[in-house]
Amino acid sequence: MPLICAITETLLAYRKCFLYTICVTSLNWLVLIAWKGILMCCSVDLMHLGGQMTDLIYTEKELVQSLREYIKAEESKLAAVKSWANKLDALTRVSTADPEGYLAHPVNAYKLMKRLNTEWSELESLVLQNPADGFVSNMSVHRQYFPDEEDETGAAKALMRLQDTYQLDSEAFSKGKLPGVHSNAVLTVDDCFDMGKTAYNDADYYHAVLWLQQALKQLDDGEEAVVSKADILDYLSYSVYQMGDLPRAIELTRRLVAIDPSHQRAGGNLRYFEQLLMKQLREMNQDYQPPSEEPIQLGTYSRPKDHLPERESYEALCRGEGIQMTEARRSRLFCRYHDGKRNPRLLLKPVKEEDEWDSPHIVRYLDSLSDEEVEKIKELAKPRLARATVRDPKTGVLTTANYRVSKSAWLEGEEDPVIDRVNQRIEDITGLTVETAELLQVANYGVGGQYEPHFDFSRKDEPDAFKRLGTGNRLATYLNYGTSVFWYNLFRSGEGDYRTRHAACPVLVGSKWVSNKWIHERGQEFRRPCGLTEVD
């Protein structure tokens, strides 16, 4: 059958772009389905900067060329100055040997006047020339498009998100060893230290420990670095203390004191940590156990809980550890040709429809977008990509959120025949009107980009979510990846189907593109009539 459970696709998922959808079954389990046949994949990007990162690659290349031109100009200028110096050095050796005899010759007197009046001024102008002007000007033009500090921090957090989701240790990242990918993209001691410091500044001591420990390990292995071992131990010891490991915090602080006895905080911290540990041991009537001297590994400390109650299930599913269907359920899944109930546009070329999941019912449509349409949609979206937003459940206002890290754009049917054609195709396939649907949204997820488990429809505790649209709730979701998937968010009664909770897993390698159409209730009264029960 066409259903492909992620547990059988784990390795492929690291090499290709996939749509990961999480559904809640009647047993409140999360089920992960990976759809193949995705056409909208492109080069490696970073976090929510998405497709715009590729532009930065070419920007950097242009700046390197500009830098080389500056170096060449500086070298040319220096060569000219050296030539002047050599010529004048020879002249002054002769003139100073016998000044009166030298000036007795009228030509020498003339040339001295000329040199001091004209040629030295020319040399002054040459020295004052600044070959850096062109490079600085080029930098100024491009600087407005450079990532800022927030982008750099976001990129670091994206790596940590991937580290958690796919259970990758810091050493694997630092050596460029990702599942299915081996590259020369390595992280230096200073890179690892900056990663740890980013987490530290965010009071994320769990990740701070992992990355600072990796920086320390690489430094101990002999790698050269700008950051000192004392600085690494300073941050690492306090982070370990924050994780509640006093014996190891003491051991690390002692190493710091041994390296730098006059360190501003180390002595005081060591005394405080030792007193605190002794107090704890007395209260628990335990003896002191020296800490392990082994490097701190992934799993040594427990990751703090966060806002997402299903975090562990979500990340396990992203790793391909999802539930599989029984043979009985699998036997009820079919594939067929679908002509949209004899829709004239589908009669001669019906779409290939496959059942992906039974409850809730999710279907997949193969070859629903051509390569040319995919490229056109990306071309139209790229200039407008902006940080994706979510609708505030209380106010209905669109805002950014950390649980959705991507960039998106909205495309109207009137602006290009391809968008109009795609909208019409969605209507023909689903049998639902798109007159009241939202615009076609195009999203780009770069490395680490994700959308945590969520519902597309508005729940009862957020009645004003789509009030301003005036088109009712989100009845159904249609997702385009070249291959497309479709499901209903609401039962025929209008009640929300809570089994449709889904997510987009963090992109480990590559860049994922998707376009979606949210179809609303208004206008569907005769296309999808109400059922007789609440859950029809």
Side-chain angles (χ1 to χ4, degrees):
M1 293 307 298
L3 179 67
I4 303 169
C5 292
I7 196 167
T8 66
E9 294 289 341
T10 305
L11 293 179
L12 285 175
Y14 293 130
R15 298 302 301 273
K16 300 179 180 178
C17 299
F18 279 84
L19 162 65
Y20 297 93
T21 295
I22 295 177
C23 308
V24 182
T25 69
S26 57
L27 298 177
N28 291 324
W29 287 349
L30 294 175
V31 179
L32 179 68
I33 304 172
W35 282 280
K36 295 197 301 184
I38 298 165
L39 299 176
M40 288 181 150
C41 297
C42 65
S43 59
V44 176
D45 296 331
L46 189 59
M47 209 199 59
H48 66 269
L49 289 174
Q52 295 172 339
M53 284 291 290
T54 54
D55 296 333
L56 293 179
I57 291 291
Y58 293 107
T59 295
E60 188 172 45
K61 181 180 179 181
E62 183 179 333
L63 289 175
V64 170
Q65 180 60 34
S66 179
L67 180 60
R68 291 197 176 278
E69 290 172 359
Y70 158 65
I71 293 171
K72 186 177 180 180
E74 282 281 17
E75 289 174 341
S76 177
K77 169 185 170 181
L78 187 58
V81 173
K82 282 183 177 180
S83 176
W84 272 91
N86 292 335
K87 181 178 71 173
L88 293 169
D89 189 44
L91 282 169
T92 55
R93 276 201 304 269
V94 172
S95 64
T96 56
D98 181 11
E100 291 186 3
Y102 179 82
L103 291 174
H105 197 295
V107 172
N108 288 340
Y110 163 73
K111 293 186 73 170
L112 176 61
M113 295 301 104
K114 180 183 176 184
R115 283 199 304 274
L116 292 174
N117 181 55
T118 304
E119 295 180 5
W120 275 98
S121 296
E122 291 174 359
L123 179 59
E124 181 183 24
S125 298
L126 175 62
V127 172
L128 291 175
Q129 284 178 7
N130 189 356
D133 288 344
F135 174 69
V136 171
S137 177
N138 204 4
M139 279 283 292
S140 299
V141 169
H142 289 295
R143 189 178 297 280
Q144 58 184 315
Y145 304 110
F146 281 11
D148 56 20
E149 185 176 351
E150 182 182 358
D151 291 318
E152 183 181 348
T153 299
K157 290 182 178 179
L159 292 187
M160 297 175 201
R161 189 181 308 126
L162 294 174
Q163 182 178 27
D164 294 337
T165 303
Y166 301 108
Q167 294 184 342
L168 305 170
D169 60 35
S170 303
E171 186 170 11
F173 262 117
S174 70
K175 294 183 178 179
K177 294 180 180 178
L178 302 181
V181 177
H182 293 279
S183 71
N184 58 355
V186 298
L187 293 172
T188 65
V189 171
D190 296 301
D191 291 331
C192 293
F193 176 73
D194 288 339
M195 287 283 295
K197 197 171 176 182
T198 296
Y200 181 95
N201 291 337
D202 203 34
D204 178 5
Y205 301 109
Y206 171 79
H207 289 107
V209 167
L210 294 178
W211 286 101
L212 292 168
Q213 172 64 58
Q214 182 59 30
L216 183 62
K217 181 179 183 299
Q218 291 180 212
L219 196 65
D220 285 341
D221 288 343
E223 184 179 320
E224 293 185 359
V226 174
V227 65
S228 68
K229 182 177 288 189
D231 283 340
I232 297 175
L233 287 169
D234 186 17
Y235 282 95
L236 179 58
S237 59
Y238 188 77
S239 297
V240 167
Y241 158 69
Q242 287 290 343
M243 292 305 297
D245 190 345
L246 276 172
R248 196 184 291 263
I250 291 171
E251 186 265 333
L252 290 167
T253 309
R254 283 174 178 167
R255 289 177 61 184
L256 173 57
V257 171
I259 293 173
D260 184 2
S262 61
H263 192 278
Q264 185 178 1
R265 293 177 300 278
N269 284 351
L270 181 58
R271 288 189 295 274
Y272 175 72
F273 294 160
E274 289 175 336
Q275 291 171 3
L276 193 59
L277 178 61
M278 291 302 104
K279 180 182 178 182
Q280 289 181 2
L281 292 174
R282 285 195 302 270
E283 290 175 353
M284 300 173 67
N285 196 26
Q286 292 181 351
D287 294 327
Y288 174 74
Q289 297 292 332
S292 169
E293 295 184 3
E294 292 294 317
I296 302 167
Q297 304 291 338
L298 187 70
T300 301
Y301 305 126
S302 297
R303 181 159 46 121
K305 300 293 183 183
D306 65 4
H307 64 278
L308 189 64
E310 61 222 311
R311 170 69 62 191
E312 291 183 5
S313 299
Y314 164 50
E315 292 180 351
L317 290 167
C318 291
R319 293 192 297 272
E321 301 167 7
I323 188 173
Q324 296 192 61
M325 275 191 175
T326 63
E327 285 301 319
R329 289 176 63 188
R330 189 183 296 274
S331 68
R332 293 193 290 269
L333 303 178
F334 297 94
C335 54
R336 64 195 73 82
Y337 283 106
H338 174 67
D339 63 9
K341 296 182 180 178
R342 301 191 63 76
N343 184 295
R345 282 178 287 271
L346 298 179
L347 277 177
L348 295 179
K349 190 180 179 182
V351 293
K352 302 168 187 174
E353 182 182 73
E354 295 181 350
D355 294 323
E356 286 290 350
W357 206 254
D358 57 348
S359 181
H361 189 211
I362 302 173
V363 293
R364 172 157 64 123
Y365 299 106
L366 280 66
D367 305 321
S368 58
L369 285 181
S370 68
D371 290 355
E372 292 76 15
E373 288 171 330
V374 167
E375 292 306 316
K376 187 62 179 180
I377 291 172
K378 288 165 61 177
E379 177 189 327
L380 292 169
K382 278 184 178 180
R384 312 182 196 184
L385 286 174
R387 178 69 188 271
T389 56
V390 295
R391 197 171 295 277
D392 188 297
K394 296 181 179 179
T395 65
V397 175
L398 293 174
T399 183
T400 59
N402 289 331
Y403 59 82
R404 186 182 190 187
V405 183
S406 66
K407 284 208 164 188
S408 64
W410 299 84
L411 303 179
E412 297 191 44
E414 294 79 9
E415 58 189 286
D416 192 278
V418 167
I419 307 303
D420 188 52
R421 187 163 67 242
V422 169
N423 286 338
Q424 183 62 60
R425 189 175 302 144
I426 293 172
E427 181 168 306
D428 294 341
I429 291 174
T430 64
L432 302 172
T433 181
V434 295
E435 289 296 320
T436 55
E438 295 175 48
L439 300 180
L440 187 71
Q441 181 184 219
V442 182
N444 175 222
Y445 295 83
V447 170
Q450 65 164 2
Y451 196 172
E452 292 178 356
H454 63 282
F455 300 104
D456 282 350
F457 65 88
S458 169
R459 273 78 68 210
K460 290 182 178 179
D461 60 345
E462 46 184 25
D464 296 333
F466 304 115
K467 185 176 181 180
R468 288 195 287 182
L469 297 178
T471 53
N473 210 340
R474 285 176 176 165
L475 175 69
T477 296
Y478 190 100
L479 286 168
N480 285 311
Y481 282 80
T483 288
S484 304
V485 288
F486 172 76
W487 69 84
Y488 283 101
N489 297 304
L490 307 178
F491 291 109
R492 287 180 177 272
S493 63
E495 293 295 320
D497 187 345
Y498 284 81
R499 299 171 302 171
T500 61
R501 189 164 173 81
H502 60 286
C505 292
V507 176
L508 180 59
V509 176
S511 177
K512 181 174 66 176
W513 288 83
V514 56
S515 66
N516 63 277
K517 196 77 171 174
W518 281 310
I519 302 171
H520 283 245
E521 292 178 287
R522 298 295 176 263
Q524 320 298 347
E525 291 81 2
F526 296 103
R527 294 177 182 243
R528 194 193 188 221
C530 292
L532 297 177
T533 69
E534 190 175 278
V535 294
D536 279 350

